[in-house]
Amino acid sequence: MKQLEELLLSPRLMHHAQMMSAWVGNSSKRFDALASLVYGDDPVLAQKAAWPMTYISEAHPEWIQKHLPALLAATKKPGVHTAIVRSVVRSLQFVSIPQSLHGEVMDSCFRYIEDINEKPAVKAFALTVLYNLSKQYPDILPEIKEIVASRMDLETPAFRVRARVFLK
């Protein structure tokens, strides 16, 4: 764990994702250590661990499964840094979300896409997560389409691109 923290706190920010991917390698236990920092108590380590976590969870989506409840809880902490929210929602695009978390994830993603102050990347990722869940819950499609249509002219290009894909 000490080696992981030293890597995360090194000044080479541009290379953190690559360094973390190399450090984790094919070790799910090392991924567990990295993910636990994202929902841990140290806000600096959480923020720095969040970005590489998304890349590793994209390559190994099965590794993040057991961390999802804690990661979702971390996104709701008061004063949570947007990097945590962005990374967790980005990771949700690539994983099979357990059915027990579908309601919580949908609720959070709807709030993200409706919030005018939410960061564009979070909105774009949330839209993709909702799209993925709409395959199992087609009843949410009309609500998503309504929100997307009402916000299309007000949003950033990232949101509009995802929205166009969604509306097709």
Side-chain angles (χ1 to χ4, degrees), residues 83-141:
I84 307 297
V85 176
R86 181 179 56 246
S87 295
V88 171
V89 178
R90 182 181 186 277
S91 293
L92 290 172
Q93 298 176 110
F94 309 115
V95 303
S96 176
I97 301 166
Q99 189 170 1
S100 61
L101 298 175
H102 285 180
E104 180 180 355
V105 168
M106 281 190 276
D107 181 58
S108 293
C109 287
F110 271 113
R111 279 188 285 109
Y112 296 141
I113 65 171
E114 290 178 300
D115 184 351
I116 60 171
N117 296 315
E118 190 57 72
K119 300 292 184 197
V122 173
K123 288 181 179 189
F125 297 148
L127 194 55
T128 299
V129 173
L130 287 171
Y131 172 76
N132 293 342
L133 287 169
S134 74
K135 295 172 186 170
Q136 293 176 6
Y137 302 97
D139 293 352
I140 68 172
L141 283 171

Side-chain angles (χ1 to χ4, degrees), residues 48-72:
K48 290 185 178 222
W51 183 45
M53 179 196 71
T54 64
Y55 291 103
I56 298 165
S57 64
E58 185 176 358
H60 299 282
E62 68 280 4
W63 291 354
I64 200 170
Q65 292 290 328
K66 66 183 173 183
H67 299 282
L68 289 177
L71 289 168
L72 290 170

